[in-house]
Amino acid sequence: MGSAFLVLSFLLLALAAKPLPRVAAGAAPEPVLDIAGKVLRTGTYYDILPVVRGRGSGITFAITGHKSCPVDVMQEDYEDSDGLPLQFIPANRKKGVIRLSTDLNIKFPGTASCAPTAVWKVEKYDELTGQMFISTSGVEGNPGPETVDNWFKIEKYGNDYKLVFCPTVCNDHCKVLCKDIGIYVQEVLKIIIGHECLTNEIKWLL
């Protein structure tokens, strides 16, 4: 299969019915809503599925290539699979509501092979593919320069949402390149941080 990049975004149907209210300066960012219009909360696991059938299934993790560690984040091959549920954990753990444009850990339940937890992390640049893949070797919490590769955000994408890598946990102490989260299509569908050429957009249902 040839290589391609698919931007990974997801649609929350509650947003399509009416426009969101404007947020006053200095107010907290808007909360993220699920398909039922309920606010996403810390401590709850959510499924992310494509709205348009025929464009893949849920998200999971697996060992790929010739390595045994770390384990890569991937999209399921089977159309009827929901994948594994995901939890979003804000940098400020006292915040029970998941909000737009705020730093989040993303993790699967349980452990992942060689890692004590299944927290998402952006791996180093892969010379062979020219991509930066996402694995499950991250560390939960402890926001700062040492964990900058473990933090993601949910952003608006029209009336939808998308996942991005654009951490602000270390303020001005480190530089990061903000990118969309997407899918690298080769023998398997790996989740990566994006590049400039985006094709075949995928909308996701939370």
Side-chain angles (χ1 to χ4, degrees):
M1 182 184 299
S3 299
F5 176 81
L6 311 178
V7 62
L8 194 165
S9 61
F10 46 94
L11 172 67
L12 305 184
L13 298 185
L15 295 180
K18 57 183 179 180
L20 290 169
R22 294 183 179 274
V23 178
E30 297 170 4
V32 181
L33 307 179
D34 67 13
I35 186 175
K38 296 181 179 179
V39 173
L40 266 64
R41 296 190 176 276
T42 305
T44 301
Y45 282 94
Y46 298 91
D47 289 325
I48 295 181
L49 296 170
V51 173
V52 180
R53 305 308 293 173
R55 293 192 176 182
S57 298
I59 298 175
T60 186
F61 58 82
I63 295 173
T64 61
H66 302 290
K67 64 182 181 180
S68 60
C69 186
V71 180
D72 291 314
V73 178
M74 301 171 53
Q75 185 183 17
E76 283 276 16
D77 290 333
Y78 302 104
E79 185 67 26
D80 58 352
S81 173
D82 290 344
L84 295 174
L86 293 166
Q87 185 178 5
F88 303 98
I89 305 165
N92 184 349
R93 296 184 67 91
K94 294 182 180 179
K95 303 293 185 182
V97 174
I98 304 303
R99 297 184 180 275
L100 293 173
S101 307
T102 57
D103 291 295
L104 304 167
N105 286 142
I106 303 175
K107 75 172 185 178
F108 296 107
T111 61
S113 182
C114 54
T117 63
V119 178
W120 287 22
K121 176 185 177 181
V122 176
E123 292 296 324
K124 295 181 179 179
Y125 180 80
D126 183 82
E127 295 283 351
L128 182 62
T129 61
Q131 306 296 338
M132 296 175 69
F133 296 102
I134 295 178
S135 76
T136 56
S137 62
V139 176
E140 183 177 336
N142 192 31
E146 297 80 10
T147 64
V148 68
D149 293 334
N150 304 331
W151 297 97
F152 302 86
K153 292 180 179 179
I154 299 175
E155 300 284 6
K156 287 294 296 296
Y157 188 66
N159 286 329
D160 312 333
Y161 296 124
K162 64 180 179 179
L163 297 173
V164 302
F165 175 73
C166 192
T168 51
V169 292
C170 56
N171 299 317
D172 298 327
H173 301 295
C174 54
K175 294 182 179 180
V176 296
L177 189 62
C178 295
K179 295 289 184 180
D180 290 334
I181 305 288
I183 302 170
Y184 181 73
V185 183
Q186 205 173 38
E187 288 82 5
V188 293
L189 306 180
K190 291 186 181 182
I191 306 298
I192 64 171
I193 68 169
H195 50 66
E196 298 304 323
C197 182
L198 306 181
T199 61
N200 299 328
E201 296 173 358
I202 292 182
K203 295 181 178 180
W204 292 80
L205 176 67
L206 188 64

